Structures are given as structure tokens and as C-alpha cells.
Amino acid sequence: MKLEIGSIVTRNSYNRDLLFRIVGFSEDRTIAELAGEELRLWADAPVDDLFVVDDKQMSEHRQVVKEKEDSSLKLFRQDYYLLRQKREYLSTNGYQYDQSYFELPGRVLHIDGDPLYLNKCLELYKKLGVPVYGIHMKETEMPEKVPALVDEVRPDILVITGHDAYMKSKGDVSDVNAYRHTKYFIRTVREVRRKYTNLDHLMIFAGACQSHFESLIKVGSNFASSPARINIHALDPVYIVSKISLTSFMDRVNVMDVLRNTLTGKEGLGGVETRGFLRTGMPIKTKP
């Protein structure tokens, strides 16, 4: 089958372990640039190492992925239900008052280096009821463009993500220059934190697959990837920031409570204790 941009492939040299989408070729078309189909991983490979996935295999794979995603969504909704019950109890003074109330979740600005992942994330935000403004932007452009966007949109929560990868041939695992896009994520967070210094006034998630977690936390991210330098799922940032968005501003969110609803877990994601952003109000004006 002919290889072309958009083809779904696996790598023979890696025992066909992960699915990738071809996003480009070298000038002589001997090397293909690859983006993970579900994971926020960027790679390249010789075209003769690639195997094109057929429709049957793709369908089987998507079913497995869907089951994992559905499980995470179910866990998240269970947690949200418990949080909502708590807010109802507090808002009605222990159910003493029959009073309707409204909620204002934290607003998210989601910057994504992958347009397809961005659309998937926006769909999930909608399911979870989280207000979001999403923009596709190349990782290399983020340090220059994101700070102005933050000033314009004024979000409560900022997501800086896309694709990344540790490249062993470029240096030691501790060297941020050995990562494809980590240095751009670091610069972006650093620039934003020059103005928005308080971690509870602007919550930041930064990183993608195999990103240099420690550096991203050090420059001011509340949550980041990837502590064990493993791959993370495309939707993981959404679950993390949605938990913060839908938690009351009066409560602090335990890191493990956030991570347990993700698809990757603590090996791929981590962070610091962070305050929620949701506020409740009343009354709801009814029509006469």
C-alpha cells in the first residue's frame, strides 16, 4: 500500500507496537515524519521500516483505545458527581434550603501542536462541561505567541501541549536539548510566568510524550509530563485540567486524585498541589 501523508502506520523495528500518522517526508522521501495516533509522540523512521495498518487492524485498535477512554471518562464522572453532591450540600446549608444555584467552572486556554488532537480534546471538554478556547499552534511558535494569547483570553487554566520525544542520539536524558520540543514548552511557561507568577491564579499544564518533567515543573508548571519519560495519551491533559476546573476554589486538589483519572497515570504525569477554580452562585433567575 502506498505511503502518503495521513497514512496510519507502525514501525517494524519496534515490533509494530504503536500507531503513527505520517505527517511529512524528507526531501528524498526516504524518511517519514510520524505523529502518534493516540499518544503525544513525535518520531521519524525510514519508509522501508513502516507497515501500513489496514482497516480491520485499525478498527480493532480503536475499539481497545475506546474502552480505555470510556473507563477514564466513567471514573472522572464518578468523581465529579461526588464533588457536585458536596457543593449542593454546602450551597443549601445541609439541604435546609430548596435553592437553585449555578456554577462557574475554571476557563481553559488549550494550545495544541496537533490539530487532530486539539479537536479530540475539545470534544472531551464539551462532554465534561468545561469552558475552553482551543488553538492549534506549532510548538516552535509557542514561546513567542502564547503570552499574548494569555493576556487576551485571560484564562484560569493554560494547557501547552503537542508532540515531544527524547532523542538518545542528541544527549543525556537530563539534557533538555535532547528532547524534540521540551525546550519550547519550557520557554513558553517561563515567559507566561513572568507576568502570572501565582500558581493558584493561573494553573499551567505543559508537556507531551517523554517531556522533561522536572524542568517544566521548575519553571512554573502546576502539572507536567513525563516523570518516567514515557508516552502520554492525547487526552491526558484534558482530564488533569478539567479536574482543576471543576473543583471548588475553596479546595486544594490532591495530585494523586488528579492522576487516577488519566489514561497514563503517575509514570507519565505529575504535578504539585493546586487550588480549584469553580465557583457557585445563586439564585438562578427564573422567567416570570
Side-chain angles (χ1 to χ4, degrees):
M1 191 177 295
K2 183 180 178 182
L3 293 175
E4 55 189 20
I5 291 178
S7 295
I8 305 301
V9 298
T10 59
R11 297 173 295 179
N12 291 315
S13 58
Y14 285 80
N15 297 317
R16 302 180 182 177
D17 58 343
L18 300 175
L19 294 189
F20 290 90
R21 177 175 11 104
I22 296 179
V23 295
F25 292 96
S26 61
E27 289 187 8
D28 59 5
R29 293 186 69 86
T30 60
I31 302 294
E33 295 180 357
L34 309 172
E37 182 65 4
E38 277 88 30
L39 303 176
R40 289 187 172 276
L41 180 64
W42 190 273
D44 51 45
V47 294
D48 57 10
D49 186 40
L50 300 179
F51 174 82
V52 179
V53 178
D54 61 33
D55 291 342
K56 182 175 182 294
Q57 292 170 313
M58 192 65 196
S59 178
E60 292 172 351
H61 175 80
R62 282 178 173 161
Q63 181 59 36
V64 172
V65 171
K66 185 178 184 301
E67 289 174 1
K68 291 180 180 179
E69 292 176 355
D70 288 347
S71 177
S72 286
L73 181 58
K74 182 179 179 180
L75 281 173
F76 187 95
R77 283 177 166 163
Q78 287 174 347
D79 277 0
Y80 176 70
Y81 176 77
L82 293 175
L83 286 172
R84 189 176 178 87
Q85 291 290 98
K86 177 183 177 181
R87 290 195 296 272
E88 286 181 358
Y89 181 83
L90 294 174
S91 296
T92 59
N93 196 22
Y95 300 118
Q96 293 186 48
Y97 309 114
D98 183 17
Q99 179 66 60
S100 298
Y101 66 94
F102 59 89
E103 296 182 331
L104 299 174
R107 296 168 295 111
V108 178
L109 172 58
H110 184 114
I111 312 294
D112 207 312
D114 188 304
L116 296 182
Y117 283 178
L118 174 61
N119 288 334
K120 288 182 179 180
C121 289
L122 294 180
E123 289 176 7
L124 183 55
Y125 283 120
K126 185 176 180 180
K127 287 181 181 179
L128 299 176
V130 174
V132 60
Y133 184 65
I135 295 178
H136 167 239
M137 184 184 298
K138 291 181 179 179
E139 292 87 348
T140 54
E141 298 175 349
M142 291 179 181
E144 304 300 327
K145 295 183 176 181
V146 169
L149 271 173
V150 174
D151 288 342
E152 179 182 349
V153 178
R154 306 290 290 183
D156 301 304
I157 299 167
L158 173 64
V159 175
I160 303 163
T161 189
H163 292 285
D164 205 357
Y166 166 61
M167 300 172 287
K168 190 174 182 180
S169 62
K170 298 290 186 179
D172 185 76
V173 69
S174 62
D175 182 1
V176 296
N177 292 310
Y179 295 77
R180 192 174 295 271
H181 289 138
T182 289
K183 56 182 173 290
Y184 300 110
F185 297 146
I186 290 172
R187 285 175 53 199
T188 305
V189 175
R190 183 183 289 121
E191 289 302 314
V192 171
R193 283 293 183 214
R194 290 184 191 278
K195 185 172 183 179
Y196 302 92
T197 58
N198 192 311
L199 270 66
D200 286 329
H201 291 172
L202 177 67
M203 179 268 181
I204 298 178
F205 172 91
C209 280
Q210 303 176 11
S211 295
H212 197 287
F213 169 77
E214 296 81 6
S215 293
L216 289 168
I217 292 294
K218 186 176 180 180
V219 294
S221 301
N222 298 66
F223 284 83
S225 61
S226 164
R229 305 301 190 267
I230 67 170
N231 300 325
I232 70 169
H233 192 277
L235 300 178
D236 278 332
V238 179
Y239 283 115
I240 286 179
V241 303
S242 294
K243 176 73 172 179
I244 306 299
S245 169
L246 297 171
T247 296
S248 170
F249 78 100
M250 298 177 67
D251 296 330
R252 291 195 174 275
V253 181
N254 179 277
V255 175
M256 286 308 301
D257 284 345
V258 177
L259 300 184
R260 79 183 194 92
N261 291 331
T262 64
L263 289 107
T264 303
K266 64 181 180 180
E267 297 297 310
L269 302 156
V272 298
E273 187 181 42
T274 299
R275 189 180 295 278
F277 280 98
L278 183 139
R279 292 177 181 268
T280 57
M282 62 175 63
I284 297 177
K285 186 176 181 180
T286 57
K287 294 181 180 180

